[in-house]
Amino acid sequence: MSVHELPLPPNVDRDAFRHAMARLGAAVNIITTDGPAGRAGFTASAVCSVTDTPPTLLVCLNRSASVWPTFRDNGYLCVNTLAAGHEDLSTLFGGKTPMDQRFAAANWHTLASGSPLLEGATVSFDCKITQVVSVGTHDVLMCEALALVRNDDSHGLAWFDRGYHHLLRQDAR
Ligand SMILES: NC(=O)c1ccc[n+]([C@@H]2O[C@H](COP(=O)([O-])OP(=O)(O)OC[C@H]3O[C@@H](n4cnc5c(N)ncnc54)[C@H](O)[C@@H]3O)[C@@H](O)[C@H]2O)c1
Ligand SMILES: Cc1cc2c(cc1C)N(C[C@H](O)[C@H](O)[C@H](O)COP(=O)(O)O)c1[nH]c(=O)[nH]c(=O)c1N2
């Protein structure tokens, strides 16, 4: 089928959209925050680079998530990009597990914003939320990076076709 023969919207329902989106491989991240509103963390694949000036990422957060008010009120967060081997941690932060149990499963450090930084993440972006745009069910959080921590030894982790996949670094092949 050529692109010109594709059916036009509104033929795309929610399930068809999700099924299609499952084909877009993405990094898996644990987004954390700590501050006056408390400590919270959740798994997110809807994360990407927006601009390098000022250095900004976006994170999409469902407003129905239990963690949403905590992120909104703290105003700071850390994007911890997961490494190969973090599958169980990702599942823990993606479920309905109590917050203390989620954090008890890993080691954390704290940078300038106060947000928990995951030991062993491939990279962590310590951020301030600079703008929030509501689209449908989600808030798109624009996050300016204040500090970075890179781990140059770990392999990557991707979420693709509803499963985890390891991404080997070039020099490890
Ligand atoms: N952006 C998101 O909010 C998002 C992304 C990935 C997974 N999830 C959640 O994780 C669970 C497992 O996901 P899955 O990938 O195994 O299967 P799925 O069929 O629920 O999702 C397939 C893909 O659709 C997209 N998606 C899923 N839920 C979405 C939502 N509420 N809003 C926008 N996009 C969404 C994501 O790209 C996801 O990888 C589900 O409960 C899902 O809601 C949410
Ligand atoms: C691989 C993967 C990827 C994502 C998620 C899950 C999983 C397993 N979830 C869902 C999110 O992690 C879940 O709803 C949180 O645990 C918040 O739930 P609570 O309501 O706080 O328990 C999720 N939610 C969200 O708002 N934005 C996202 O990008 C993602 N991505």
Side-chain angles (χ1 to χ4, degrees):
M1 183 189 282
S2 86
V3 72
H4 301 292
E5 294 171 283
L6 287 172
L8 293 171
N11 288 337
V12 178
D13 65 18
R14 197 189 79 145
D15 288 346
F17 178 71
R18 284 194 184 198
H19 206 50
M21 287 303 297
R23 301 278 174 89
L24 275 72
V28 198
N29 310 273
I30 291 179
I31 316 298
T32 57
T33 188
D34 200 355
R39 183 175 65 163
F42 72 103
T43 299
S45 53
V47 172
C48 81
S49 180
V50 176
T51 174
D52 63 3
T53 314
T56 304
L57 304 84
L58 68 76
V59 175
C60 299
L61 172 56
N62 198 317
R63 285 191 304 282
S64 69
S66 69
V67 299
W68 175 73
T70 315
F71 280 85
R72 178 199 58 196
D73 294 347
N74 281 342
Y76 290 86
L77 59 75
C78 186
V79 176
N80 297 284
T81 305
L82 298 185
H86 278 147
E87 291 89 328
D88 289 348
L89 197 63
S90 172
T91 302
L92 201 61
F93 276 80
K96 298 291 174 190
T97 313
M99 212 45 74
D100 285 349
Q101 277 182 42
R102 298 186 195 188
F103 281 95
N107 294 323
W108 306 91
H109 303 279
T110 309
L111 288 183
S113 78
S115 305
L117 183 142
L118 173 64
E119 192 174 298
T122 56
V123 66
S124 295
F125 303 85
D126 200 29
C127 298
K128 175 181 171 60
I129 300 172
T130 54
Q131 203 180 330
V132 179
V133 181
S134 293
V135 181
T137 53
H138 282 56
D139 272 1
V140 183
L141 313 177
M142 302 297 172
C143 306
E144 184 174 343
L146 308 174
L148 307 171
V149 174
R150 281 182 14 185
N151 174 349
D152 291 335
D153 298 324
S154 59
H155 297 297
L157 186 66
W159 182 249
F160 171 68
D161 203 19
R162 303 188 170 100
Y164 296 105
H165 301 264
H166 290 186
L167 300 173
L168 297 189
R169 305 175 63 84
Q170 289 284 4
D171 55 11
R173 287 186 183 144

